[in-house]
Amino acid sequence: MPDRTPCVGGNWKMNTRAADAGALAKSVADGAASVPGVEVILFPPAIYLQEVAGTLSGSSVALGGQDASEQSDGAWTGQISAGMLRDVGCTHLLVGHSERRHGLGEQDALLNAKLHAGLEAGLDVMLCIGETLQERQADRTADVVVEQVQADLANVPMEALSSLTIAYEPVWAIGTGLTASPEDAQAVHALVRQTVGSLYDGTSASAMRILYGGSVKPGNAADLFAQADIDGGLIGGASLDAEQFQAIVEAAGQSCCRS
Ligand code: PGA
């Protein structure tokens, strides 16, 4: 049986203000304490990271940045480096979220550079991949996710894989209320794991956590997480509601990583 700790990430995107960010983080930390077998990570807006870091201090909940520059320092107006994220208490970094790939035009070469910047700064990286609706309708899902995994992991050494999690998020399911069926999601997760296996080896592949994202809610989380290759979720909308998020964390504790 694979020994993978279930993981649930809360991606707050460009939501909250300082007061509610602190309150939400506090509720998440209180809830997570009752589900010790699940790794919980919050990704608040960058400007509230320090505030949330203070709230999470002493709790089991980890903190991550939603994005970082591929550069480490210097004349890059408006950018935030992975080292700065680390400096304010982050241990994790999201790379390749579809809103950055498709909304902001970030390409695989840039995402690969960001992934390396995160690892070099000592952050664990959660790499998001997934096909658009158009790609799915053209029956290109498998090609797209394999290409993304190959390109985004370029030159990542095997030793770094323990600092990596992959989140499969079909773009058409993000924020839409549509979810991949557990069976469809499982098929893509298995393909992603197989791809990691062919790039590295079977041991690394079976140790890699692969999360599902895209309209995960309390009502569908358990069925998704019960799939053999789904090790938790990356949650957007439902992560802004402490009760819903807690229900998803509990579903991960009960259903994930059982074979
Ligand atoms: P959603 O977002 O849960 O609102 O669909 C998921 C994500 O963007 O990570």
Side-chain angles (χ1 to χ4, degrees):
M1 180 168 140
D3 183 18
R4 298 191 295 265
T5 304
C7 177
V8 177
N11 175 12
W12 294 358
K13 309 188 180 184
M14 199 171 72
N15 292 297
T16 69
R17 293 291 184 269
D20 38 301
L24 180 56
K26 168 104 181 60
S27 303
V28 170
D30 290 347
S34 66
V35 196
V38 179
E39 183 180 357
V40 178
I41 310 162
L42 291 182
F43 297 93
I47 197 161
Y48 301 135
L49 282 168
Q50 262 183 306
E51 165 99 23
V52 173
T55 308
L56 295 181
S57 160
S59 83
S60 62
V61 178
L63 185 66
Q66 295 177 12
D67 178 48
S69 170
E70 75 283 17
Q71 308 289 339
S72 57
D73 279 293
W76 301 98
T77 302
Q79 295 285 65
I80 293 173
S81 72
M84 291 171 181
L85 294 178
R86 177 89 202 199
D87 195 33
V88 298
C90 290
T91 47
H92 291 72
L93 171 65
L94 275 187
V95 170
H97 191 279
S98 78
E99 287 147 20
R100 300 204 65 89
R101 282 182 194 268
H102 301 293
L104 298 169
E106 295 191 350
Q107 307 281 322
D108 288 313
L110 174 64
L111 299 173
N112 175 250
K114 290 186 173 201
L115 188 152
H116 280 280
L119 293 174
E120 274 155 31
L123 297 172
D124 283 2
V125 173
M126 189 178 290
L127 171 68
C128 305
I129 58 168
E131 82 286 2
T132 62
L133 182 59
Q134 220 176 13
E135 289 163 341
R136 187 173 191 89
Q137 286 170 340
D139 215 11
R140 293 202 58 241
T141 299
D143 291 345
V144 169
V145 299
V146 169
E147 281 162 21
Q148 288 175 341
V149 171
Q150 288 173 340
D152 299 345
L153 295 188
N155 299 316
V156 173
M158 181 126 81
E159 315 82 77
L161 291 188
S162 57
S163 302
L164 267 177
T165 300
I166 294 176
Y168 167 59
E169 302 201 291
V171 179
W172 50 271
I174 296 177
T176 58
L178 301 171
T179 322
S181 70
E183 297 72 25
D184 282 356
Q186 163 59 25
V188 179
H189 281 235
L191 174 65
V192 171
R193 198 175 299 289
Q194 189 190 320
T195 307
V196 172
S198 62
L199 290 173
Y200 297 91
D201 64 14
T203 310
S204 313
S206 76
M208 172 73 71
R209 283 187 306 192
I210 306 174
L211 313 186
Y212 173 80
S215 297
V216 178
K217 307 285 177 207
N220 59 21
D223 286 347
L224 288 159
F225 298 165
Q227 301 297 313
D229 288 290
I230 301 186
D231 305 316
L234 181 57
I235 318 302
S239 73
L240 296 170
D241 179 310
E243 264 178 48
Q244 288 194 29
F245 189 67
Q246 175 65 13
I248 295 169
V249 171
E250 286 171 9
Q254 282 154 16
S255 308
C256 278
C257 310
R258 312 253 185 273
S259 61

